[in-house]
Structures are given as structure tokens and as C-alpha cells.
Amino acid sequence: MTNALTDQDSRIAMMRENMAMTTEIVPWARAMGFQVTRIEKGHAWATQPFSDGLVGDPEAGVIHGGVITTLLDNLCGMACSTAMQEFHFVATLDLRIDYMRSAEPHRDIQAEAECYHLTRSVAFCRAWAYHETRDKVIATAQGAFAINQARPAGSPML
Amino acid sequence: MNRAEQLQGFLARVPIVQTLGMHIEIKGDDMTAVLPFQKKLIGNFTIQALHGGAIGTFLEMTAMAQLFLVSDTERPARTINTTIDYLRQGKAEDLYARATVVKLGRRMASVRSEAWQAERDKPVAVLLAHLLVKRD
């Protein structure tokens, strides 16, 4: 029998079936209101809907950079989970965000994250935030994530 | 209205500041930001750790606020980029932060902010931000 903790494909299948759960169990992700829209091996996509409470510049009505930090950080973590053969928790070691252009007011933000290299102890990820396509990017992120070796028994694996 | 009052007035109008629930305490040019613990700030509930994104948002806002406090621009600076080092797990407790303007140039500024909990010399995370200072 396949097990989502030890088998990558069954874990990805389970995450796809429970896409909404992947953010619902993360309180701060729920507060931001973004939703995961697609999951592939080592990749994850999400949508951050516009909301008045996320604005960082009241004059321009633009979403705060910190919201993009949360979105890309969280999505990178998810890309890590789908890249690993066995499930392990990951913790962000560092994250660098470059803001290419302001998000447009009252518009949703799309995001994509990729885990492009994995070692026993570290996962390397990059991510993009944009309105329509990655050609016109709002922000990019690059980060290293520490892979927690201990896997608490009975812990949720999403 | 002095610079500190201007800053407090601005922060009171920023929705994400209210969503986070953070506030700042100012004594002259000395500023400490406070993020009182709330359950919604959690990122991993199994280990009750603060979300890295919440910590990052708090640190970026602290950097921007400190820069505004010591500069003379009409509007707050815009962030060019941020690099965040996550040094320790953020526990389910209040988080504090202070920022230092490392360099204030004519167009760019470099600001470093640091967050801690129970012990000041055990930082939870450090952020380095480059910001675009608009002078009109």
C-alpha cells in the first residue's frame, strides 16, 4: 500500500485532492486568503485575491510587499514538499525578494514556485508573482529551505 | 506635526498594519515595533511557529517606518528588494523589532531590521532592505 508520508506520487495526489486544505491549515495563509491552484512534482501555483486589508499604500491601493513575501515563501515550501521522496517539514533559511514593478490596484496576483535543487538537508527554490504571465513579473523570490530530518509521528503531511 | 506624529498617522491608515496588528513606540529617533501575538500569525500549527511571511511583513514595515522617521521625504520609501535570514523559530509570543538605516543616499537607502522575542541577543530573523527614496 502506498503511503503519502513515504511515497511522493501518493503525497502529490493527496495534496491535489485536498488543495484547499493546504492553505486552510496555515492560519496566516488563511488570513491572507490565497489559494493553491495547481500542484506538480517540485512545482506549485497559487492565486492571491485582492483584498482591502492587504493594502500597504493607502494612496495607490496596492497590496503590500509583505503579502507577496508570505505568498512566495509559503508556495516555495509547498514546492519543496512535492519535490521530496519522503515527507519532511521544511523551514525557511533565507528568502530574497526583488520587486520589479508594483502590483496593480484591485487585481489578484498569480504565483508560481519551483524547487530546482534538493540535497539531503537543503531545498533550493525560486518563485514568481505576476498578474497575467511570468513575462511581466511583479516580484521574484529565491530561497533556501532547511529540511527537518525528524518526522513527527502522526503529524499531518500537507 | 513632528516626524513621529506623521509616521503614526501614516501607519494608522495602512490596512496591512491593522491586519498584522502591529504598532510602533517612538522616543525621539529611537523606535521599537511590536507585533503582539495572535493565533492568525501562525504558519505551522503543529510546532506553533509564526509564519515566515508574517515575520517578513513585520520586518519590512519596521524598516520602512525607521527610514521615514529619520528622513525628510513626503511619502514613505518604496521597497526595491529584501533579504530575510530566518535564524530561529518564531514562537507563539509577542515579537519585537528595531531597524537601523545603514545608508541613506540621495535616491537609495539600505535598512537592516532585526526581530526578537524573549531575549534581545537571540534574534528570530534579520531583514536587509533596499528602498527607493522619492524626493519631489
Side-chain angles (χ1 to χ4, degrees):
Chain A
M1 200 186 106
T2 55
N3 179 336
L5 280 173
T6 54
D7 181 74
Q8 189 175 18
D9 290 330
S10 42
R11 186 168 60 253
I12 291 173
M14 197 189 70
M15 286 172 81
R16 280 183 185 141
E17 278 164 33
N18 301 281
M19 207 104 88
M21 253 270 279
T22 57
T23 49
E24 266 164 31
I25 59 166
V26 181
W28 187 241
R30 209 167 52 213
M32 299 290 96
F34 62 84
Q35 290 120 24
V36 176
T37 54
R38 186 181 160 200
I39 293 168
E40 302 286 344
K41 215 171 261 189
H43 277 84
W45 287 260
T47 298
Q48 169 67 67
F50 178 84
S51 156
D52 289 329
L54 308 179
V55 167
D57 182 340
E59 272 79 40
V62 168
I63 284 183
H64 189 260
V67 178
I68 295 176
T69 303
T70 302
L71 176 64
L72 300 185
D73 176 50
N74 207 121
L75 209 54
C76 280
M78 201 157 289
C80 294
S81 308
T82 63
M84 293 182 286
Q85 186 52 243
E86 270 195 21
F87 175 78
H88 292 284
F89 277 120
V90 296
T92 317
L93 268 180
D94 73 347
L95 191 71
R96 147 108 183 201
I97 317 252
D98 286 291
Y99 298 101
M100 281 35 178
R101 57 168 63 79
S102 295
E104 290 164 27
H106 305 285
R107 287 194 69 183
D108 299 353
I109 294 173
Q110 312 300 325
E112 176 184 344
E114 173 194 24
C115 175
Y116 65 94
H117 190 75
L118 197 61
T119 71
R120 265 172 53 83
S121 46
V122 186
F124 299 90
C125 294
R126 51 188 161 227
W128 301 261
Y130 46 86
H131 285 309
E132 283 114 15
T133 66
R134 250 169 62 178
D135 300 333
K136 207 176 157 193
V137 82
I138 296 165
T140 58
Q142 170 129 0
F145 293 75
I147 299 168
N148 194 336
Q149 292 307 324
R151 198 182 60 216
S155 62
M157 57 218 82
L158 285 176
Chain B
M1 197 160 52
N2 67 28
R3 205 61 183 160
E5 288 163 349
Q6 280 178 33
L7 177 57
Q8 295 284 20
F10 172 74
L11 293 178
R13 289 187 291 115
V14 178
I16 192 73
V17 170
Q18 313 311 318
T19 303
L20 260 179
M22 68 175 282
H23 64 267
I24 54 170
E25 290 163 7
I26 306 172
K27 293 178 183 78
D29 64 353
D30 188 83
M31 187 198 92
T32 304
V34 182
L35 181 64
F37 174 71
Q38 293 183 73
K39 278 188 183 143
K40 68 173 177 183
L41 301 172
I42 293 288
N44 184 331
F45 74 91
T46 56
I47 55 168
Q48 288 292 302
L50 297 179
H51 197 292
I55 298 171
T57 306
F58 176 58
L59 282 173
E60 188 181 332
M61 214 61 221
T62 304
M64 188 237 88
Q66 182 69 49
L67 179 61
F68 186 83
L69 192 63
V70 301
S71 60
D72 56 8
T73 54
E74 213 172 291
R75 306 221 329 114
R78 270 180 54 188
T79 312
I80 300 165
N81 58 37
T82 60
T83 307
I84 312 167
D85 271 9
Y86 293 96
L87 304 167
R88 287 181 180 80
Q89 181 190 318
K91 297 180 190 141
E93 295 167 11
D94 295 357
L95 190 67
Y96 312 103
R98 272 172 176 251
T100 314
V101 177
V102 179
K103 196 211 162 180
L104 177 54
R106 283 193 307 154
R107 294 181 58 221
M108 312 276 185
S110 182
V111 186
R112 183 184 186 277
S113 35
E114 193 172 294
W116 75 94
Q117 292 185 308
E119 287 173 79
R120 179 74 173 87
D121 56 5
K122 286 193 176 156
V124 168
V126 173
L127 168 140
L128 188 65
H130 290 103
L131 302 107
L132 199 58
V133 184
K134 263 197 198 159
R135 290 181 205 280
D136 339 81

